[in-house]
Amino acid sequence: MPTETPQPDFVLVRPQMGENIGAAARAMWNFGLDRMRVVAPRDGWPNPRAVAMASGAGRLLDEAMLVETLPEAVADAHFVLATTARTREMTKPVYAPERAMQLAAAKIAEGQRVAVLFGPERAGLENADVARANAIVSVPVNPAFPSLNLAQCVLLLGYEWRRAAGEVAPERMQMDGSDWAAQADVEALAQHYEARMEEAGFFFPAHKAESMRRTLRNFWSRMPLTQADARLLHGILRQMVRWKDRGG
């Protein structure tokens, strides 16, 4: 059975090639989506080529809802989005993928069921299909080549859904087995370097020494050091002093 995770239903309307259905399943599962509905697939169902292409996402195909008509596929939906490049022939809201999935997330959070329609590979959704949708999702593609592969479109909407669901951090720091250095760690490092640099006669002339020390402290405070970084810098300085004491 599909997971209980709140998510939209992805509806493949009259898909043609089994390979594309399988690739769409794989793209869905990449982003934790597993509610696939398939409307009147051209080459029948189940489709061995879809299974081969789905790879580890074959479960989605086993559990996919198979129906003959679009009305059956969206009968339980409260809000339907149609992915299409045809936006001039109907009066409907048109959303970019990011905004569409934000809206889907808000409606699903309110307890509504949302369906997203994807058309067949050759020509996309027909006007009669789009007419059943509440809104349109339009991908900002090259107008000279607007056709998207079915699985590509599914992948794009799946990614935007994951972003809208709050599962994609805009930025994160990968820590490699060390925590950030505390102020005490940075202070000890600064004092270590100042002491050795003082012995080396670095702070010269005397009237510039205070400004040089302040610049050095500012340098350490700007640097995002980990505890491992601090230990490394301590070790480098100690080894350099030992090397000097040995006569180079």
Side-chain angles (χ1 to χ4, degrees), residues 88-100:
R88 297 182 179 180
E89 301 175 21
M90 299 183 194
T91 302
K92 289 184 186 293
V94 179
Y95 299 110
E98 179 181 18
R99 178 60 186 137

Side-chain angles (χ1 to χ4, degrees), residues 24-202:
R26 188 170 182 173
M28 288 176 63
W29 194 227
N30 281 148
F31 297 105
L33 295 162
D34 62 354
R35 295 181 188 169
M36 174 184 281
R37 300 185 176 191
V38 184
V39 180
R42 183 191 66 183
D43 295 338
W45 198 258
N47 188 310
R49 292 184 176 180
V51 175
M53 184 60 75
S55 186
R59 177 179 70 81
L60 273 70
L61 302 179
D62 295 337
E63 299 169 354
M65 176 190 292
L66 176 65
V67 295
E68 286 300 315
T69 67
L70 179 55
E72 292 177 84
V74 298
D76 58 350
H78 303 96
F79 190 78
V80 179
L81 291 159
T83 60
T84 180
R86 298 173 182 170
T87 61
R88 297 182 179 180
E89 301 175 21
M90 299 183 194
T91 302
K92 289 184 186 293
V94 179
Y95 299 110
E98 179 181 18
R99 178 60 186 137
M101 292 299 96
Q102 290 171 348
L103 184 62
K107 289 184 176 296
I108 289 171
E110 295 171 355
Q112 297 187 46
R113 191 155 195 142
V114 175
V116 184
L117 311 183
F118 300 88
E121 297 89 318
R122 185 178 60 82
L125 294 170
E126 297 177 358
N127 286 346
D129 303 320
V130 179
R132 295 182 180 279
N134 301 103
I136 289 171
V137 185
S138 180
V139 179
V141 294
N142 176 7
F145 189 59
S147 177
L148 274 180
N149 173 271
L150 172 60
Q152 290 175 329
C153 194
V154 168
L155 183 75
L156 176 62
L157 270 292
Y159 170 67
E160 292 296 351
W161 164 257
R162 200 162 180 90
R163 289 183 65 205
E167 298 182 36
V168 178
E171 180 179 342
R172 65 187 179 93
M173 177 63 71
Q174 178 65 43
M175 302 296 287
D176 186 21
S178 181
D179 293 326
W180 291 113
Q183 286 296 313
D185 301 319
V186 178
E187 178 65 21
L189 186 64
Q191 290 182 6
H192 187 186
Y193 271 76
E194 282 188 29
R196 298 289 81 81
M197 293 166 76
E198 180 72 47
E199 292 173 2
F202 178 80

